[in-house]
């Protein structure tokens, strides 16, 4: 895959070359400051293959500025606002995914033409429950989905998950109801996982199927999630319920939607319930992004 140079990658590459430090030595300096970053991640940052987005990665950039003799914020100011760390996204068109990497991953799970094929399962209802640990990281997400077949012979759903970059391992997939895991493939270079969720029966046109599964991250520490959780819907969904539970209650929560690039983001404040969590509901929503943020 060809590199995509950015202002950040150019500045970082130039600064590293000027310093005379190898990536090994930079990694050692970061580790000495309590911030473990892989050499692969550093290489990707300076080549433009990836950019720092997670909170731990942004902390590493701050230390790099000091190690490389730069002014505070000199590199950080070149980064765009971090996009929220999503979970598995409905996958009619690859958004924020490296397309060729995604195609290769889909081929490995036996779905080489998935991006071009017409979808034959309609997502009628989706319920996400995300658990945020005391350290602010995402511990797990449980999803309950209801599909309706628009053609005979439907027996699986393809799950694609972005697990937050090259410095984060893939989550563990646990199937809970009416499905089992088929082929599961991981692309460590781009931080992607693709998995088949095989139904317990084959659907005929018009029939519905309810499945439930959980994605569990390793920890503590758990992978940072930029204080947000969202879904990006490429097709309309009748109902989407999003719950967030917190081990440590945040000061403020809000739901947000993005449906029109020209209108920007719409927000509405949310209130914690008696269990220390929040929820938001979207009806007849999409295409667009629907999520919850907190501070």
């Amino acid at each position: 895959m060809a590199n995509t140079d950015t202002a950040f990658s150019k500045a970082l590459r130039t600064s590293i070359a000027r310093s005379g430090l190898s990536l090994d030595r930079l990694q050692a300096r970061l580790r000495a400051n309590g911030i473990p970053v892989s050499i692969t991640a550093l290489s990707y940052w300076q080549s433009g293959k990836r950019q720092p987005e997670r909170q731990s990665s942004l902390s590493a950039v701050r230390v790099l500025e000091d190690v490389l003799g730069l002014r505070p914020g000199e590199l950080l100011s070149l980064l765009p606002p971090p996009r929220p760390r999503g979970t598995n996204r409905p996958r009619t068109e690859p958004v924020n995914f490296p397309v060729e990497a995604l195609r290769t991953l889909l081929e490995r799970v036996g779905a080489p033409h998935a991006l071009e094929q017409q979808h034959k399962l309609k997502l009628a209802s989706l319920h996400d429950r995300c658990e945020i640990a005391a350290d602010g990281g995402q511990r797990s997400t449980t999803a309950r989905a209801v599909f309706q077949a628009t053609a005979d012979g439907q027996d699986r759903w393809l799950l694609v998950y972005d697990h937050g970059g090259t410095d984060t391992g893939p989550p563990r997939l646990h199937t809970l109801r009416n499905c089992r895991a088929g082929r599961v493939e991981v692309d460590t270079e781009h931080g992607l996982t693709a998995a088949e969720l095989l139904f317990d029966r084959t659907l005929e046109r018009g029939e519905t199927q309810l499945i439930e599964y959980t994605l569990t991250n390793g920890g503590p520490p758990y992978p940072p999630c930029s204080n947000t959780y969202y879904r990006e819907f490429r097709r309309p969904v009748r109902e989407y319920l999003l719950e967030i539970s917190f081990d440590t209650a945040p000061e403020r929560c809000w739901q947000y939607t993005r449906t029109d690039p020209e209108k920007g983001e719409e927000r509405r404040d949310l209130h914690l319930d008696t269990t220390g969590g929040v929820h938001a509901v979207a009806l007849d929503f999409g295409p667009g992004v629907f999520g919850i943020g907190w501070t």
Side-chain angles (χ1 to χ4, degrees):
M1 181 180 174
N3 293 351
T4 303
D5 249 342
T6 64
F8 172 82
S9 65
K10 291 177 182 177
L12 178 60
R13 190 165 61 248
T14 299
S15 299
I16 292 175
R18 186 171 56 238
S19 72
L21 295 172
S22 66
L23 295 186
D24 288 332
R25 293 180 63 190
L26 282 177
Q27 182 193 40
R29 297 281 188 92
L30 290 167
R31 185 179 290 115
N33 282 271
I35 301 178
V37 176
S38 69
I39 292 177
T40 300
L42 291 172
S43 176
Y44 286 169
W45 293 353
Q46 72 166 350
S47 70
K49 282 187 176 181
R50 304 281 295 193
Q51 70 177 21
E53 292 181 344
R54 295 156 50 81
Q55 197 59 50
S56 58
S57 298
L58 297 178
S59 297
V61 173
R62 294 187 182 93
V63 176
L64 280 174
E65 289 173 338
D66 181 58
V67 170
L68 296 173
L70 302 176
R71 299 186 305 274
E74 189 169 341
L75 291 176
L76 285 173
S77 65
L78 300 177
L79 289 170
R83 61 183 174 87
R85 180 175 181 261
T87 66
N88 45 303
R89 304 183 182 116
R91 184 211 27 62
T92 56
E93 298 177 17
V95 176
N96 291 327
F97 284 144
V99 179
E100 291 308 315
L102 180 56
R103 288 185 188 278
T104 300
L105 191 62
L106 293 173
E107 184 173 353
R108 286 162 53 190
V109 294
H113 306 298
L115 295 179
E116 292 80 21
Q117 289 177 334
Q118 182 178 2
H119 288 260
K120 297 178 181 180
L121 283 173
K122 180 189 296 184
L123 181 61
S125 177
L126 180 63
H127 177 189
D128 282 336
R129 187 175 189 276
C130 178
E131 296 184 357
I132 304 300
D135 62 8
Q138 183 178 311
R139 180 167 54 233
S140 67
T141 298
T142 298
R144 187 180 69 226
V146 178
F147 302 101
Q148 184 174 39
T150 60
D152 294 342
Q154 304 310 300
D155 63 356
R156 69 196 62 200
W157 175 254
L158 188 60
L159 168 69
V160 177
Y161 182 81
D162 175 1
H163 40 86
T166 58
D167 53 347
T168 300
R172 297 184 300 276
L173 171 63
H174 310 274
T175 54
L176 303 179
R177 279 204 287 175
N178 304 330
C179 65
R180 59 184 174 83
R183 286 169 287 191
V184 180
E185 294 288 344
V186 178
D187 180 341
T188 55
E189 179 180 349
H190 299 94
L192 300 176
T193 295
E196 291 178 308
L197 296 179
L198 306 176
F199 300 161
D200 58 359
R201 65 187 183 93
T202 300
L203 303 183
E204 302 303 319
R205 182 185 178 91
E207 289 188 316
T208 58
Q209 175 78 346
L210 182 152
I211 66 170
E212 189 170 357
Y213 61 88
T214 295
L215 295 165
T216 304
N217 291 308
Y222 294 97
C225 56
S226 301
N227 285 9
T228 188
Y229 182 98
Y230 77 101
R231 285 268 191 170
E232 183 170 3
F233 295 95
R234 303 300 292 170
R235 294 179 295 163
V237 60
R238 295 179 192 173
E239 177 195 58
Y240 177 49
L241 169 60
L242 173 56
E243 289 186 84
I244 310 288
S245 66
F246 301 96
D247 284 359
T248 302
E251 295 181 0
R252 177 172 170 258
C253 296
W254 61 90
Q255 75 174 51
Y256 61 88
T257 59
R258 294 193 294 272
T259 56
D260 186 340
E262 296 182 358
K263 292 183 179 179
E265 185 174 281
E266 297 182 8
R267 290 190 176 191
R268 183 168 67 84
D269 285 338
L270 298 175
H271 301 285
L272 290 172
D273 59 28
T274 55
T275 67
V278 293
H279 78 277
V281 179
L283 301 175
D284 297 318
F285 180 81
V289 172
F290 187 91
I292 291 177
W294 60 89
T295 57

